[in-house]
Amino acid sequence: MPKATRIVKWRQKREQRSRRTGRTWLKLGGVGLIIATVLTVLSVLAVSGGTAVAYTTFTQGLPDYSQIETLGRTNETFETTKIYGLGADQNGDGTRDWVLIYEVIDPLGGDRQWVEFAQLPQDFVDATIAIEDRTFWTNEGFDLQGIGRAFYEYVWLGGAIQGGSSITQQVVKNNLIEPERRVVQGEPGWDDYRRKIEEVLLANRMSQEYTKEQIIEWYVNSNFYGNLAYGIEAAARVYFNKTAAELTLPEAAMLAAIPQSPALNPIDAPDQAKTRQELVLDAMFRDGLISREELVAAKFTPLPIASSLEERFDIIAPHYALRVRQELEQQFGAEQMLRGGLRVYTALDLELQSQAECVARAHVARLSGALGSGLPADEASSCPAIAFLPTPNTAELGLDRQVNNAAVVIIDPRTGELKAMVGSLNYWDDSIDGSFNVAADGLRQPGSSFKPFTYLTAFAQGYTPATMVLDVETDFGTEYNGVAYVPQNYDRLFRGPQSIRQALGNSYNVPAVEVMSWVGVDNVIRTAHKMGITSLDGGPNQYGLSLTLGGGEVRPLDMAYAFSVLANGGQMIGQPVPEARQRLGFRSLEPVTILRVEDRNGVPIYEYNQPQQQQILTAPLAYLMNDILSDGQARCAGFGCPNVLELPGGRPAAVKTGTTNNYRDGWTVGYTPQLVTAVWVGNTDNTPMDNVPGSRGAAPIWHAIMAYALRDAPIETWSQPPGVAQRTVCRPSGLLSNGICPTVNELFLAGTEPTLIDNMYQQFQVNRETGRLATIYTPQELVEIRTYVVYPDRAADWVRENEIDAPPTEYDTIDNPNMEGRGVALGSPRPFAYVSGVAGAVAITGTVQMDDFAYYRLAYFEGLTPGQLRQIGEPVTEPKENETLGLWDVADLEGLYTLVLTAVRNDGTFEELSAPVTIDNTPPTAVITAPRSDQTFSTNDEFILIQTEVSDDISLDRVAFYVGGSGVPFAISTVPPHTGRFQVYNSGCFSFRVVATDAAGNEGESTAVGVCVEE
């Protein structure tokens, strides 16, 4: 290391040491006190020779160590924690009772079989001592070196005041020290040092009074081994379905490692448990307890771990119940959660939960080909919500769409309460990995259901629901491995100019990507995080513009909670995120699952009385989004009217669907002021469904749940808050009316109303016979006023493909009748035309008719500023009328030139015309970038998208797409991204080529690319 670098690092370390000097001396004082006390004990023992005298001198007021003798010999059992949900109104009188959904119980049902030392496997005893207390057989109840090492790590390395305890000390701490004093909270105080001293003194006394065999027996029978297993016998049965006496060496080593970190057990954390097992085996080999052969064999012996603990017990709403258990452990600790006899009352509405479960199962069964209700008769009879499932399309009956799972989240936005959560269709079904909670833990791509975050960001930046976006094929750059990003709509069609209201309501993709490009990916991610999305933490560069189409991954629970902010007028309501899990820029509240917790005596120790509120969005901003997402007319073009997103009775509901590529995920997230429901449908292993968009997969479930849950609730909507204005604007421009455009009433955030007049709808005077623009010479009886829509240049291909009339660009050819054909005029090339000499000389046409005519001449000069004049041919003395005036050889010219026609009279006077033209003799280049040569497609594909890379040095006119030897193109593109669609009708192999033509008529052809279409 260079000297300068060493100095910098040394100074950094010195500064770090100086910053913690104060607390370090405090820590050293505690360490010194413990060591001094221990040494004093030893010296007194040595001098007095009387253990009892020394013990009395230093342990007045400490617990009686002899209590340890009753450990495991009493009939004491733990009082279980019970978790309740609100049951259904069985009698119809509004009374609902609390129903037990889960009892946190010991896996052995209270069986406390004690294992005598003689029955303990030697491998397990050796493994425990090797990893916990190497000097156990020889120390005096404590390991002074271990204590010193632990405090060194605490003082100098910043660790917790833990570790360094001998096995005897741990027996003392876990059984004689009060539970609340066992763990240091924050910086250690005097009581923490005192507790450590007590452990050492009691451990020393115990080691004098009892045998090592007794102590190790107490230790392994009272340890917590995770998953409710207390003692080695329970642990052996929980993890390996065998008795402790039957444990093998690799099994013993794995269990011996658990007490240090009970969460890292082979059920909950198999990889970490395996790593810790190998650490134990290494320690046993180091201490000579096993041979190298035994070490290697044990490390490579596969261990059959028992099934998840939860499968052993009857449990209602298992994913919800287990989430509550997890929150209890975080809030109260494992000890109190497991032994404390808590009574926990949750926000779970069991009626909603059961109906969400059965509706989801019924609809997924129908998607899998089941007929009728899709449920067994007994389950269907208890599922009235099925009646609200939309009637399946006859053409869909009996078809297996290859879908096996669903998840549902239901939240009350006004309280933040999680009313129901279906994590999978069947918790106990291993075939769909049913124990995995897709609702809370599953990261899935949300498809278009993510678009509201993009448009909310746009509204906050000043864009409006009336802002015009272009739904046309667009190249947004080469962000994906150099391949142009050309997003497609769900139905592969384009609709041209749209307002944001129309684009969002109908879920058009290209406008959403365009708006994302306006507002910035990072800003949209910030909006999503602020509203409740806890994923998408890879930064904007990880996702790109496709994020708005669901290119990131989110959790259904987060989506429901984020949409609850909209449902509640911009407010997030819930409980605080624990400080340890808070992250800058992310939400600081979360959904509520626990309403009240009572101790074993019925005394409340926690209540969710006053939910916290945060204004995440302004009320006007939230209202704009609610108005668009609940606008049934705005989504008719994309979803039809009526559709599955409409609720009975005309109840307003804001809703958004989502579908990912290849139909891997189908979503519907929607809400009213009273309720938010998010539904995901798909396969847990992320395999594609067979043509199941969100509108067919998730939306029917959403519709049935919302209709059932709100069937007796009053119809509510969102009141328009101050700060929202209404204006009449032109559609699609979103600008103020010019009197000739179609208009609509639109909402705006105050201050964002348009101030410009529409310029898309324009009126032109046209010769009705020729269709050309009228001039002053066009007879008035032939002139009529026509209205045209002038579209942006980027929409040119869309305008042509949809055969939309465009305003004429050429003027009427009728001249002044009094001229009687006289005058000087250039017919071609027209001013600013593009010409090429590749095919031969350019013909110059026009008229030269004038009194006292002598001759005319043609010439040209480079650029627009007259310079060196070069004559074209010889002067001509014959008058011309709409004839060829001369031939111009431009084969060796390139760039901008000015053509000059001079007509001279006999008296020397003349008339002169000029026309700037661009000479282009360089043909364009064309390359097909997709598909790849020899790529294979399916007849299920609607079309093959041909993407190109074309360029021209001056001006490209069009790109034509051909298949095989056809002389007629199947597609023509005049604006980027220059793509063509080949409709797939049948199987076979096809060869594609493209021909690019520039404005001067030069052509460049690509190399052909061959692909095959299979059945």
Side-chain angles (χ1 to χ4, degrees), residues 665-799:
D665 304 277
W667 292 72
T668 298
V669 188
Y671 54 92
T672 66
Q674 303 108 307
L675 207 62
V676 181
T677 298
V679 179
W680 168 87
V681 169
N683 296 311
T684 313
D685 62 2
N686 208 32
T687 55
M689 300 176 284
D690 180 12
N691 193 28
V692 182
S695 58
R696 285 214 306 264
I701 299 174
W702 175 87
H703 176 95
I705 291 173
M706 293 290 286
Y708 174 80
L710 299 171
R711 65 195 184 282
D712 297 325
I715 293 179
E716 296 185 26
T717 187
W718 297 275
S719 300
Q720 182 173 314
V724 176
Q726 181 172 295
R727 293 288 186 275
T728 299
V729 297
C730 289
R731 178 169 287 178
S733 71
L735 302 178
L736 297 176
S737 174
N738 59 9
I740 58 175
C741 63
T743 59
V744 293
N745 292 326
E746 188 53 274
L747 299 177
F748 300 85
L749 296 180
T752 66
E753 304 95 322
T755 57
L756 300 177
I757 304 297
D758 178 82
N759 60 356
M760 287 186 66
Y761 280 81
Q762 298 181 25
Q763 292 181 331
F764 296 82
Q765 289 186 328
V766 178
N767 183 328
R768 67 170 180 267
E769 290 184 349
T770 65
R772 297 189 176 195
L773 294 172
T775 68
I776 59 173
Y777 302 117
T778 304
Q780 286 300 308
E781 64 270 17
L782 298 181
V783 176
E784 67 179 16
I785 296 176
R786 295 180 184 177
T787 300
Y788 293 92
V789 183
V790 180
Y791 292 96
D793 291 342
R794 191 155 59 89
D797 279 355
W798 176 82
V799 169

Side-chain angles (χ1 to χ4, degrees), residues 795-958:
D797 279 355
W798 176 82
V799 169
R800 187 185 63 259
E801 291 167 0
N802 287 274
E803 301 179 347
I804 297 174
D805 287 338
T809 58
E810 296 184 354
Y811 284 91
D812 206 350
T813 56
I814 298 178
D815 294 325
N816 187 339
N818 297 323
M819 293 295 294
E820 297 181 351
R822 298 181 178 275
V824 179
L826 272 173
S828 68
R830 303 294 295 174
F832 298 103
Y834 292 86
V835 299
S836 171
V838 173
V842 176
I844 302 171
T845 65
T847 296
V848 178
Q849 292 278 6
M850 58 192 302
D851 294 334
D852 200 22
F853 170 74
Y855 65 90
Y856 70 84
R857 64 172 176 263
L858 296 168
Y860 68 93
F861 59 83
E862 189 172 2
L864 297 175
T865 303
Q868 182 180 1
L869 196 65
R870 301 176 186 177
Q871 189 166 304
I872 302 172
E874 298 297 325
V876 178
T877 59
E878 297 177 4
K880 304 281 186 175
E881 183 176 358
N882 293 327
E883 298 178 60
T884 298
L885 303 181
L887 297 176
W888 184 15
D889 185 0
V890 298
D892 296 327
L893 303 179
E894 195 82 18
L896 181 63
Y897 291 82
T898 300
L899 175 66
V900 180
L901 167 62
T902 305
V904 181
R905 298 183 182 89
N906 287 314
D907 61 4
T909 60
F910 63 90
E911 293 186 22
E912 191 169 83
L913 298 176
S914 64
V917 295
T918 299
I919 301 174
D920 181 6
N921 291 313
T922 304
T925 61
V927 175
I928 295 178
T929 58
R932 302 183 307 274
S933 184
D934 299 326
Q935 189 171 345
T936 301
F937 292 85
S938 167
T939 51
N940 292 328
D941 296 316
E942 296 180 27
F943 60 84
I944 298 174
L945 183 66
I946 315 298
Q947 294 180 262
T948 66
E949 220 174 71
V950 294
S951 63
D952 186 69
D953 60 336
I954 297 180
S955 177
L956 191 69
D957 181 60
R958 64 188 181 278

Side-chain angles (χ1 to χ4, degrees), residues 417-429:
E417 295 174 12
L418 181 61
K419 307 304 292 184
M421 179 171 64
V422 181
S424 68
L425 290 185
N426 188 341
Y427 179 85
W428 313 107
D429 188 348

Side-chain angles (χ1 to χ4, degrees), residues 451-461 527 531 566 617 621-622 625:
K451 288 175 183 173
F453 300 115
T454 299
Y455 288 110
L456 279 168
T457 307
F459 296 156
Q461 292 184 11
T527 298
M531 291 182 64
L566 294 169
L617 305 173
L621 183 58
M625 185 55 64

